Amino acid sequence: MIFPAVRRAIRFALASPLVFCAGLFAQEPFQFPTANHYLYERGSELKFFAPTAPDKPWTSGSFGCVRNDGQRLHEGLDILHLQTDRRGEPTDPVMVAADGTVVYINMKPSLSNYGNYLVVRHVVEGMEIYSLYAHLSAVRPGLKIGEAVKAGEVIATMGHTSNAEVITKDRAHVHFELNVLVNDNFAAWFKTASPGERNDHGEWNGQNLNGLDPRQILLDEHFQGTNFNLLTCLRGQTELCRVLVRATKFPYLKRYPMLVLRNPVAEKEGVAGYEIALNFNGVAFALMPRAESEIKSRAKFQLLSVNEAEEKSNPCRHLVVQRNGRWELANEGLRELELLTY
Ligand SMILES: [Zn+2]
C-alpha cells in the first residue's frame, strides 16, 4: 500500500513538473487541506478559490483585506470543492495540514460563522501554529479533542455550514486558516473586555487566533523547497506599526520566544516593557525588551510609529487611526494589545 501523502505527491508530481523544485519527498511544514492544489497553477485561481460571488474576483476568497473594498478582513483561504454527490453536496475529504493535536471541535453550526469547525495545534520549528478548518459538513466519526493526527490524515468532510452567511453549494469550500494563538487567558479577558457578550468557544474563539497568510506560506514552501523557514517568514512580515507596552509578563513571550529580540540594556537594567512590531492583522512578530531608562512615556500602550504605506494597502483591521494629522491607536488596536498583554 502506498501512503496517501505519497500517493498525493506522486499524483501531483505528474500533474505539475514544478514539484521537483521542492524535492518530491521533502517534508513541507504545511500541506494542502484538500486535494485541490490549483494554487500552484498560475491562471487557475478560480479553480482554487471560492470568491464571495460570481462577479467578485478570486482574491475575495484569499487572505487579507480582500472584502468590502479592502475594508474587511478575510482571515483564511476559501478553497473550492472538487467533488460533489448527486445532490450537489461537496464530498471532498478535509485533511490535516501538518502533524498535530486536535484542540477544538465545534459541531454546533448555529454557534459560529465558521459553522462546524476544527482547530489543530502544530509545533513547527518550535512555534505553536494553529490550523483551522471551517464550514464542515461532518467531522471524522470518533475524532476527539486531544487526539494526535498526522499530516494528510482525513479529519472531516467539506460542507457549507455557517450561522451568518448562506454558502451556496456551488461555492462550497473549506475555510482554512494558519494562526498564532494570542493568549491562553482569552476566556477571562473576553469577560472583562466584552461584558454580556457570549463566548461559546473558550480560547478557540477566532479573535484569539491571529491569521497568517496561508497562500503565501504554501507558495513559499513550495517554491523555496528545503530553504523554506517559517520563522523567517514570520520575522519577514511587513510592519504596520510599532508600539511600546508596559507589560513584562504575558503568555505570548513564552509561547513565541523565538520572536523576542535581544537588548543588552534591558538585560543589564531589567525589563520594564516591550517594543512590539505588529503586522496589519495585529500579529506581533518582533518583541524587543526595553529598560525603564529607554521608555519615555508612563502610558500603558504607546504608539511609536506607523508605516503609512502599509496602513494604506492593508487598512482592514483598523488598528491605528489618524486624528488631526496624528496617528493614534484605534479601539481595535487597543483591544488587540489588551488581549496580547492580559
Ligand atoms: Zn472564508
Side-chain angles (χ1 to χ4, degrees), residues 23-82:
L24 185 54
F25 297 103
Q27 184 63 50
E28 290 174 340
F30 297 104
Q31 303 182 7
F32 284 85
T34 75
N36 189 338
H37 294 184
Y38 280 112
L39 180 68
Y40 294 153
E41 283 184 30
R42 197 172 292 186
S44 294
E45 286 84 1
L46 281 169
K47 290 185 187 170
F48 185 76
F49 294 105
T52 49
D55 60 336
K56 296 285 182 197
W58 65 264
T59 46
S60 63
S62 189
F63 170 91
C65 298
V66 295
R67 296 189 173 168
N68 298 19
D69 294 322
Q71 295 301 314
R72 193 159 79 86
L73 175 72
H74 181 235
E75 209 160 18
L77 306 183
D78 287 351
I79 304 173
L80 202 58
H81 67 277
L82 290 178

Short mmCIF file of all heavy atoms in Angstrom, two decimals, residues 23-82:
data_model
loop_
_atom_site.label_atom_id
_atom_site.label_comp_id
_atom_site.label_asym_id
_atom_site.label_seq_id
_atom_site.Cartn_x
_atom_site.Cartn_y
_atom_site.Cartn_z
N GLY A 23 11.60 19.22 -4.30
CA GLY A 23 12.00 17.90 -3.85
C GLY A 23 10.76 17.09 -3.57
O GLY A 23 9.95 17.45 -2.73
N LEU A 24 10.60 15.99 -4.27
CA LEU A 24 9.35 15.24 -4.20
C LEU A 24 8.98 14.82 -2.79
O LEU A 24 7.84 14.89 -2.38
CB LEU A 24 9.46 14.02 -5.12
CG LEU A 24 8.20 13.17 -5.29
CD1 LEU A 24 7.02 14.01 -5.73
CD2 LEU A 24 8.47 12.05 -6.29
N PHE A 25 9.96 14.39 -2.02
CA PHE A 25 9.63 13.86 -0.70
C PHE A 25 10.07 14.79 0.43
O PHE A 25 10.09 14.40 1.58
CB PHE A 25 10.23 12.46 -0.53
CG PHE A 25 9.64 11.50 -1.52
CD1 PHE A 25 10.36 11.11 -2.64
CD2 PHE A 25 8.35 11.04 -1.37
CE1 PHE A 25 9.81 10.25 -3.57
CE2 PHE A 25 7.78 10.17 -2.30
CZ PHE A 25 8.51 9.78 -3.41
N ALA A 26 10.44 16.01 0.06
CA ALA A 26 10.82 16.95 1.12
C ALA A 26 9.62 17.17 2.03
O ALA A 26 8.49 17.28 1.55
CB ALA A 26 11.24 18.28 0.49
N GLN A 27 9.84 17.21 3.33
CA GLN A 27 8.75 17.41 4.28
C GLN A 27 8.43 18.89 4.35
O GLN A 27 9.17 19.67 4.91
CB GLN A 27 9.17 16.88 5.66
CG GLN A 27 8.06 16.95 6.69
CD GLN A 27 6.86 16.08 6.32
OE1 GLN A 27 7.00 14.92 6.00
NE2 GLN A 27 5.68 16.67 6.37
N GLU A 28 7.34 19.28 3.73
CA GLU A 28 6.94 20.67 3.81
C GLU A 28 6.16 20.86 5.10
O GLU A 28 5.39 19.99 5.49
CB GLU A 28 6.07 21.03 2.60
CG GLU A 28 6.89 21.05 1.31
CD GLU A 28 6.06 21.25 0.06
OE1 GLU A 28 4.84 21.01 0.11
OE2 GLU A 28 6.65 21.64 -0.95
N PRO A 29 6.37 22.01 5.77
CA PRO A 29 5.69 22.21 7.06
C PRO A 29 4.19 22.08 6.96
O PRO A 29 3.56 21.49 7.82
CB PRO A 29 6.10 23.62 7.45
CG PRO A 29 7.30 23.94 6.65
CD PRO A 29 7.26 23.10 5.41
N PHE A 30 3.60 22.63 5.90
CA PHE A 30 2.14 22.56 5.77
C PHE A 30 1.75 22.01 4.41
O PHE A 30 2.34 22.36 3.40
CB PHE A 30 1.51 23.94 5.96
CG PHE A 30 1.74 24.49 7.34
CD1 PHE A 30 2.68 25.48 7.54
CD2 PHE A 30 1.05 23.98 8.42
CE1 PHE A 30 2.92 25.97 8.82
CE2 PHE A 30 1.28 24.46 9.70
CZ PHE A 30 2.22 25.46 9.90
N GLN A 31 0.74 21.16 4.44
CA GLN A 31 0.20 20.61 3.20
C GLN A 31 -1.17 21.23 2.93
O GLN A 31 -1.77 21.80 3.83
CB GLN A 31 0.05 19.09 3.33
CG GLN A 31 1.35 18.40 3.68
CD GLN A 31 1.17 16.89 3.76
OE1 GLN A 31 0.13 16.35 3.46
NE2 GLN A 31 2.22 16.22 4.19
N PHE A 32 -1.65 21.02 1.74
CA PHE A 32 -2.99 21.49 1.41
C PHE A 32 -4.03 20.70 2.22
O PHE A 32 -3.86 19.49 2.41
CB PHE A 32 -3.28 21.28 -0.08
CG PHE A 32 -2.61 22.27 -0.97
CD1 PHE A 32 -1.31 22.08 -1.39
CD2 PHE A 32 -3.29 23.41 -1.38
CE1 PHE A 32 -0.69 22.99 -2.22
CE2 PHE A 32 -2.67 24.33 -2.21
CZ PHE A 32 -1.37 24.12 -2.63
N PRO A 33 -5.09 21.36 2.64
CA PRO A 33 -6.11 20.65 3.43
C PRO A 33 -7.09 19.85 2.58
O PRO A 33 -7.94 19.15 3.14
CB PRO A 33 -6.83 21.78 4.17
CG PRO A 33 -6.67 22.96 3.29
CD PRO A 33 -5.35 22.80 2.59
N THR A 34 -7.02 19.98 1.25
CA THR A 34 -7.86 19.14 0.38
C THR A 34 -7.01 18.76 -0.83
O THR A 34 -5.85 19.18 -0.94
CB THR A 34 -9.12 19.88 -0.13
OG1 THR A 34 -8.74 20.80 -1.15
CG2 THR A 34 -9.86 20.60 0.98
N ALA A 35 -7.61 17.99 -1.73
CA ALA A 35 -6.88 17.57 -2.94
C ALA A 35 -6.78 18.70 -3.96
O ALA A 35 -6.15 18.53 -5.00
CB ALA A 35 -7.57 16.35 -3.55
N ASN A 36 -7.39 19.83 -3.69
CA ASN A 36 -7.31 20.96 -4.61
C ASN A 36 -5.97 21.66 -4.47
O ASN A 36 -5.70 22.32 -3.47
CB ASN A 36 -8.46 21.94 -4.33
CG ASN A 36 -8.57 23.02 -5.38
OD1 ASN A 36 -7.60 23.30 -6.09
ND2 ASN A 36 -9.75 23.62 -5.49
N HIS A 37 -5.11 21.50 -5.50
CA HIS A 37 -3.77 22.10 -5.48
C HIS A 37 -3.61 23.14 -6.59
O HIS A 37 -2.50 23.46 -6.98
CB HIS A 37 -2.71 21.01 -5.68
CG HIS A 37 -2.64 20.04 -4.54
ND1 HIS A 37 -1.70 19.03 -4.48
CD2 HIS A 37 -3.39 19.91 -3.42
CE1 HIS A 37 -1.89 18.32 -3.38
NE2 HIS A 37 -2.91 18.83 -2.72
N TYR A 38 -4.72 23.64 -7.12
CA TYR A 38 -4.64 24.57 -8.25
C TYR A 38 -3.93 25.88 -7.90
O TYR A 38 -3.63 26.67 -8.79
CB TYR A 38 -6.04 24.87 -8.80
CG TYR A 38 -6.56 23.78 -9.71
CD1 TYR A 38 -7.64 22.99 -9.33
CD2 TYR A 38 -5.97 23.56 -10.94
CE1 TYR A 38 -8.12 21.99 -10.17
CE2 TYR A 38 -6.44 22.56 -11.78
CZ TYR A 38 -7.51 21.78 -11.39
OH TYR A 38 -7.98 20.79 -12.22
N LEU A 39 -3.67 26.09 -6.62
CA LEU A 39 -2.97 27.31 -6.22
C LEU A 39 -1.65 27.47 -6.98
O LEU A 39 -1.22 28.59 -7.27
CB LEU A 39 -2.69 27.28 -4.71
CG LEU A 39 -1.97 28.49 -4.12
CD1 LEU A 39 -2.86 29.72 -4.18
CD2 LEU A 39 -1.55 28.23 -2.68
N TYR A 40 -0.99 26.37 -7.27
CA TYR A 40 0.33 26.42 -7.92
C TYR A 40 0.25 26.77 -9.39
O TYR A 40 1.26 27.08 -10.00
CB TYR A 40 1.02 25.06 -7.81
CG TYR A 40 1.39 24.63 -6.42
CD1 TYR A 40 1.48 23.28 -6.12
CD2 TYR A 40 1.65 25.55 -5.42
CE1 TYR A 40 1.83 22.86 -4.85
CE2 TYR A 40 1.99 25.13 -4.15
CZ TYR A 40 2.08 23.79 -3.87
OH TYR A 40 2.43 23.36 -2.61
N GLU A 41 -0.93 26.64 -9.98
CA GLU A 41 -1.05 26.87 -11.42
C GLU A 41 -1.50 28.28 -11.69
O GLU A 41 -2.66 28.63 -11.41
CB GLU A 41 -2.04 25.87 -12.04
CG GLU A 41 -1.45 24.50 -12.21
CD GLU A 41 -2.40 23.55 -12.92
OE1 GLU A 41 -3.20 24.02 -13.76
OE2 GLU A 41 -2.33 22.36 -12.62
N ARG A 42 -0.58 29.06 -12.20
CA ARG A 42 -0.93 30.45 -12.47
C ARG A 42 -2.08 30.50 -13.49
O ARG A 42 -2.07 29.76 -14.46
CB ARG A 42 0.30 31.18 -13.02
CG ARG A 42 0.13 32.68 -12.92
CD ARG A 42 1.39 33.41 -13.26
NE ARG A 42 2.44 33.18 -12.25
CZ ARG A 42 3.61 33.80 -12.27
NH1 ARG A 42 3.88 34.66 -13.21
NH2 ARG A 42 4.51 33.55 -11.34
N GLY A 43 -3.06 31.34 -13.22
CA GLY A 43 -4.21 31.44 -14.13
C GLY A 43 -5.36 30.53 -13.73
O GLY A 43 -6.44 30.62 -14.29
N SER A 44 -5.10 29.64 -12.74
CA SER A 44 -6.16 28.72 -12.31
C SER A 44 -6.76 29.13 -10.96
O SER A 44 -7.36 28.30 -10.28
CB SER A 44 -5.60 27.30 -12.20
OG SER A 44 -5.24 26.84 -13.48
N GLU A 45 -6.58 30.38 -10.61
CA GLU A 45 -7.04 30.83 -9.28
C GLU A 45 -8.53 30.56 -9.06
O GLU A 45 -8.93 30.25 -7.94
CB GLU A 45 -6.75 32.33 -9.09
CG GLU A 45 -5.29 32.65 -8.85
CD GLU A 45 -4.47 32.78 -10.13
OE1 GLU A 45 -5.05 32.63 -11.24
OE2 GLU A 45 -3.26 33.01 -10.03
N LEU A 46 -9.32 30.68 -10.12
CA LEU A 46 -10.76 30.47 -9.93
C LEU A 46 -11.13 29.00 -9.74
O LEU A 46 -12.26 28.67 -9.39
CB LEU A 46 -11.55 31.08 -11.09
CG LEU A 46 -11.72 32.60 -10.98
CD1 LEU A 46 -12.26 33.19 -12.26
CD2 LEU A 46 -12.61 32.99 -9.79
N LYS A 47 -10.15 28.11 -9.97
CA LYS A 47 -10.38 26.69 -9.66
C LYS A 47 -9.97 26.40 -8.22
O LYS A 47 -10.31 25.35 -7.67
CB LYS A 47 -9.56 25.80 -10.59
CG LYS A 47 -10.02 25.80 -12.03
CD LYS A 47 -9.19 24.79 -12.79
CE LYS A 47 -9.47 24.83 -14.27
NZ LYS A 47 -8.49 24.02 -15.02
N PHE A 48 -9.21 27.30 -7.63
CA PHE A 48 -8.73 27.08 -6.26
C PHE A 48 -9.57 27.86 -5.24
O PHE A 48 -10.02 27.30 -4.24
CB PHE A 48 -7.27 27.50 -6.13
CG PHE A 48 -6.68 27.18 -4.79
CD1 PHE A 48 -6.33 25.88 -4.46
CD2 PHE A 48 -6.49 28.18 -3.83
CE1 PHE A 48 -5.80 25.57 -3.20
CE2 PHE A 48 -5.97 27.87 -2.57
CZ PHE A 48 -5.63 26.57 -2.27
N PHE A 49 -9.78 29.13 -5.49
CA PHE A 49 -10.51 29.98 -4.53
C PHE A 49 -12.00 30.03 -4.84
O PHE A 49 -12.40 29.98 -5.99
CB PHE A 49 -9.97 31.41 -4.57
CG PHE A 49 -8.55 31.53 -4.09
CD1 PHE A 49 -7.52 31.72 -5.00
CD2 PHE A 49 -8.25 31.44 -2.74
CE1 PHE A 49 -6.21 31.82 -4.56
CE2 PHE A 49 -6.94 31.55 -2.29
CZ PHE A 49 -5.91 31.75 -3.20
N ALA A 50 -12.79 30.16 -3.78
CA ALA A 50 -14.22 30.42 -3.93
C ALA A 50 -14.45 31.90 -3.67
O ALA A 50 -14.44 32.34 -2.52
CB ALA A 50 -15.01 29.58 -2.93
N PRO A 51 -14.63 32.71 -4.71
CA PRO A 51 -14.91 34.13 -4.47
C PRO A 51 -16.26 34.28 -3.77
O PRO A 51 -17.07 33.35 -3.76
CB PRO A 51 -14.94 34.75 -5.87
CG PRO A 51 -14.83 33.64 -6.85
CD PRO A 51 -14.66 32.35 -6.12
N THR A 52 -16.51 35.46 -3.20
CA THR A 52 -17.73 35.66 -2.42
C THR A 52 -18.98 35.67 -3.30
O THR A 52 -20.07 35.40 -2.81
CB THR A 52 -17.65 36.97 -1.62
OG1 THR A 52 -17.23 38.01 -2.52
CG2 THR A 52 -16.68 36.87 -0.47
N ALA A 53 -18.84 35.99 -4.58
CA ALA A 53 -19.96 35.97 -5.53
C ALA A 53 -19.37 35.79 -6.93
O ALA A 53 -18.20 36.07 -7.14
CB ALA A 53 -20.75 37.27 -5.44
N PRO A 54 -20.21 35.33 -7.88
CA PRO A 54 -19.67 35.07 -9.23
C PRO A 54 -19.01 36.29 -9.87
O PRO A 54 -18.10 36.15 -10.67
CB PRO A 54 -20.91 34.65 -10.02
CG PRO A 54 -21.89 34.18 -9.01
CD PRO A 54 -21.62 34.96 -7.77
N ASP A 55 -19.49 37.48 -9.51
CA ASP A 55 -18.91 38.68 -10.15
C ASP A 55 -17.75 39.27 -9.34
O ASP A 55 -17.24 40.33 -9.67
CB ASP A 55 -20.01 39.74 -10.33
CG ASP A 55 -20.63 40.17 -9.01
OD1 ASP A 55 -20.56 39.38 -8.04
OD2 ASP A 55 -21.18 41.29 -8.93
N LYS A 56 -17.33 38.56 -8.28
CA LYS A 56 -16.20 39.06 -7.48
C LYS A 56 -14.92 38.37 -7.92
O LYS A 56 -14.94 37.22 -8.37
CB LYS A 56 -16.44 38.78 -5.98
CG LYS A 56 -17.64 39.50 -5.42
CD LYS A 56 -17.37 40.97 -5.20
CE LYS A 56 -18.58 41.65 -4.59
NZ LYS A 56 -18.56 43.09 -4.71
N PRO A 57 -13.77 39.04 -7.75
CA PRO A 57 -12.50 38.43 -8.15
C PRO A 57 -12.10 37.29 -7.21
O PRO A 57 -12.60 37.22 -6.07
CB PRO A 57 -11.51 39.58 -8.07
CG PRO A 57 -12.10 40.52 -7.07
CD PRO A 57 -13.59 40.39 -7.20
N TRP A 58 -11.21 36.42 -7.68
CA TRP A 58 -10.77 35.29 -6.85
C TRP A 58 -10.15 35.76 -5.55
O TRP A 58 -10.20 35.05 -4.54
CB TRP A 58 -9.79 34.39 -7.63
CG TRP A 58 -8.48 35.02 -7.99
CD1 TRP A 58 -8.15 35.60 -9.18
CD2 TRP A 58 -7.29 35.12 -7.16
NE1 TRP A 58 -6.85 36.06 -9.15
CE2 TRP A 58 -6.31 35.79 -7.93
CE3 TRP A 58 -6.96 34.72 -5.86
CZ2 TRP A 58 -5.02 36.07 -7.43
CZ3 TRP A 58 -5.68 35.00 -5.36
CH2 TRP A 58 -4.74 35.66 -6.15
N THR A 59 -9.58 36.96 -5.58
CA THR A 59 -8.92 37.46 -4.36
C THR A 59 -9.89 37.56 -3.18
O THR A 59 -9.46 37.52 -2.03
CB THR A 59 -8.29 38.84 -4.61
OG1 THR A 59 -9.26 39.66 -5.29
CG2 THR A 59 -7.04 38.74 -5.46
N SER A 60 -11.20 37.65 -3.45
CA SER A 60 -12.15 37.74 -2.34
C SER A 60 -12.22 36.43 -1.55
O SER A 60 -12.74 36.39 -0.44
CB SER A 60 -13.55 38.15 -2.83
OG SER A 60 -14.08 37.16 -3.70
N GLY A 61 -11.67 35.34 -2.13
CA GLY A 61 -11.59 34.08 -1.40
C GLY A 61 -10.21 33.84 -0.82
O GLY A 61 -9.91 32.78 -0.30
N SER A 62 -9.35 34.86 -0.94
CA SER A 62 -7.99 34.73 -0.44
C SER A 62 -7.87 35.40 0.93
O SER A 62 -8.85 35.86 1.49
CB SER A 62 -7.04 35.37 -1.47
OG SER A 62 -5.72 35.09 -1.12
N PHE A 63 -6.66 35.46 1.45
CA PHE A 63 -6.43 36.00 2.80
C PHE A 63 -6.13 37.50 2.74
O PHE A 63 -5.45 37.97 1.84
CB PHE A 63 -5.22 35.28 3.42
CG PHE A 63 -4.73 35.89 4.70
CD1 PHE A 63 -5.23 35.47 5.92
CD2 PHE A 63 -3.77 36.91 4.68
CE1 PHE A 63 -4.78 36.04 7.11
CE2 PHE A 63 -3.31 37.48 5.86
CZ PHE A 63 -3.82 37.04 7.07
N GLY A 64 -6.61 38.22 3.74
CA GLY A 64 -6.21 39.62 3.92
C GLY A 64 -7.36 40.59 3.80
O GLY A 64 -8.53 40.23 3.99
N CYS A 65 -7.02 41.84 3.47
CA CYS A 65 -8.03 42.90 3.34
C CYS A 65 -8.65 42.80 1.94
O CYS A 65 -8.37 43.60 1.06
CB CYS A 65 -7.38 44.26 3.53
SG CYS A 65 -6.65 44.47 5.16
N VAL A 66 -9.43 41.76 1.75
CA VAL A 66 -9.88 41.42 0.39
C VAL A 66 -11.39 41.62 0.21
O VAL A 66 -11.92 41.32 -0.86
CB VAL A 66 -9.52 39.96 0.05
CG1 VAL A 66 -8.02 39.77 -0.01
CG2 VAL A 66 -10.14 38.97 1.05
N ARG A 67 -12.05 42.12 1.24
CA ARG A 67 -13.50 42.26 1.12
C ARG A 67 -13.94 43.70 1.41
O ARG A 67 -13.23 44.44 2.07
CB ARG A 67 -14.19 41.27 2.07
CG ARG A 67 -13.87 39.84 1.63
CD ARG A 67 -14.64 38.80 2.34
NE ARG A 67 -14.37 37.51 1.72
CZ ARG A 67 -14.72 36.34 2.23
NH1 ARG A 67 -15.37 36.30 3.38
NH2 ARG A 67 -14.44 35.22 1.61
N ASN A 68 -15.15 44.03 0.96
CA ASN A 68 -15.70 45.38 1.15
C ASN A 68 -14.68 46.46 0.77
O ASN A 68 -14.32 47.31 1.58
CB ASN A 68 -16.15 45.60 2.61
CG ASN A 68 -17.25 44.65 3.02
OD1 ASN A 68 -17.46 43.62 2.38
ND2 ASN A 68 -17.95 44.99 4.08
N ASP A 69 -14.20 46.38 -0.46
CA ASP A 69 -13.22 47.35 -0.97
C ASP A 69 -12.00 47.47 -0.07
O ASP A 69 -11.49 48.56 0.15
CB ASP A 69 -13.88 48.73 -1.15
CG ASP A 69 -14.94 48.70 -2.23
OD1 ASP A 69 -14.72 48.00 -3.25
OD2 ASP A 69 -16.00 49.34 -2.05
N GLY A 70 -11.56 46.36 0.46
CA GLY A 70 -10.34 46.35 1.27
C GLY A 70 -10.58 46.69 2.73
O GLY A 70 -9.64 46.72 3.53
N GLN A 71 -11.83 46.95 3.12
CA GLN A 71 -12.10 47.38 4.49
C GLN A 71 -12.42 46.22 5.43
O GLN A 71 -12.54 46.39 6.64
CB GLN A 71 -13.26 48.39 4.51
CG GLN A 71 -12.94 49.70 3.81
CD GLN A 71 -11.74 50.41 4.41
OE1 GLN A 71 -11.61 50.55 5.63
NE2 GLN A 71 -10.82 50.85 3.55
N ARG A 72 -12.60 45.01 4.86
CA ARG A 72 -12.95 43.89 5.73
C ARG A 72 -11.96 42.75 5.53
O ARG A 72 -11.61 42.39 4.40
CB ARG A 72 -14.38 43.40 5.45
CG ARG A 72 -14.89 42.45 6.53
CD ARG A 72 -16.42 42.39 6.52
NE ARG A 72 -16.95 41.55 5.47
CZ ARG A 72 -17.11 40.22 5.59
NH1 ARG A 72 -16.77 39.60 6.69
NH2 ARG A 72 -17.60 39.52 4.59
N LEU A 73 -11.55 42.19 6.66
CA LEU A 73 -10.56 41.11 6.66
C LEU A 73 -11.21 39.76 6.35
O LEU A 73 -12.30 39.46 6.84
CB LEU A 73 -9.92 41.04 8.05
CG LEU A 73 -8.94 39.90 8.31
CD1 LEU A 73 -7.63 40.12 7.57
CD2 LEU A 73 -8.67 39.75 9.81
N HIS A 74 -10.52 38.95 5.57
CA HIS A 74 -10.85 37.54 5.46
C HIS A 74 -9.63 36.80 5.94
O HIS A 74 -8.55 36.92 5.37
CB HIS A 74 -11.18 37.16 4.01
CG HIS A 74 -11.55 35.73 3.85
ND1 HIS A 74 -10.91 34.88 2.98
CD2 HIS A 74 -12.49 34.98 4.49
CE1 HIS A 74 -11.46 33.67 3.08
NE2 HIS A 74 -12.41 33.71 3.99
N GLU A 75 -9.79 36.04 7.04
CA GLU A 75 -8.61 35.57 7.77
C GLU A 75 -8.09 34.21 7.31
O GLU A 75 -7.24 33.62 7.97
CB GLU A 75 -8.88 35.57 9.27
CG GLU A 75 -7.61 35.80 10.06
CD GLU A 75 -7.85 36.28 11.48
OE1 GLU A 75 -8.97 36.13 11.98
OE2 GLU A 75 -6.89 36.81 12.07
N GLY A 76 -8.62 33.70 6.19
CA GLY A 76 -8.12 32.41 5.71
C GLY A 76 -8.26 32.30 4.21
O GLY A 76 -8.46 33.31 3.53
N LEU A 77 -8.15 31.07 3.71
CA LEU A 77 -8.37 30.80 2.29
C LEU A 77 -9.68 30.05 2.15
O LEU A 77 -9.93 29.12 2.91
CB LEU A 77 -7.25 29.93 1.72
CG LEU A 77 -5.81 30.38 1.91
CD1 LEU A 77 -4.87 29.40 1.21
CD2 LEU A 77 -5.60 31.79 1.38
N ASP A 78 -10.50 30.43 1.18
CA ASP A 78 -11.71 29.66 0.86
C ASP A 78 -11.35 28.76 -0.31
O ASP A 78 -11.30 29.21 -1.46
CB ASP A 78 -12.87 30.59 0.51
CG ASP A 78 -13.43 31.30 1.74
OD1 ASP A 78 -13.03 30.92 2.87
OD2 ASP A 78 -14.25 32.20 1.58
N ILE A 79 -11.09 27.48 0.00
CA ILE A 79 -10.61 26.55 -1.02
C ILE A 79 -11.81 25.76 -1.57
O ILE A 79 -12.49 25.05 -0.84
CB ILE A 79 -9.55 25.60 -0.44
CG1 ILE A 79 -8.40 26.42 0.16
CG2 ILE A 79 -9.04 24.63 -1.51
CD1 ILE A 79 -7.37 25.59 0.92
N LEU A 80 -12.00 25.92 -2.86
CA LEU A 80 -13.18 25.39 -3.56
C LEU A 80 -13.21 23.86 -3.56
O LEU A 80 -12.16 23.21 -3.62
CB LEU A 80 -13.12 25.90 -5.00
CG LEU A 80 -14.40 25.96 -5.81
CD1 LEU A 80 -15.46 26.82 -5.14
CD2 LEU A 80 -14.08 26.50 -7.20
N HIS A 81 -14.42 23.33 -3.54
CA HIS A 81 -14.59 21.87 -3.60
C HIS A 81 -14.21 21.35 -4.99
O HIS A 81 -14.23 22.10 -5.97
CB HIS A 81 -16.04 21.50 -3.28
CG HIS A 81 -17.02 21.95 -4.32
ND1 HIS A 81 -17.53 23.23 -4.34
CD2 HIS A 81 -17.56 21.33 -5.38
CE1 HIS A 81 -18.36 23.35 -5.36
NE2 HIS A 81 -18.38 22.20 -6.02
N LEU A 82 -13.88 20.07 -5.05
CA LEU A 82 -13.58 19.43 -6.34
C LEU A 82 -14.64 18.40 -6.70
O LEU A 82 -14.79 18.03 -7.84
CB LEU A 82 -12.21 18.72 -6.26
CG LEU A 82 -10.95 19.59 -6.18
CD1 LEU A 82 -9.73 18.70 -6.06
CD2 LEU A 82 -10.83 20.48 -7.41
#
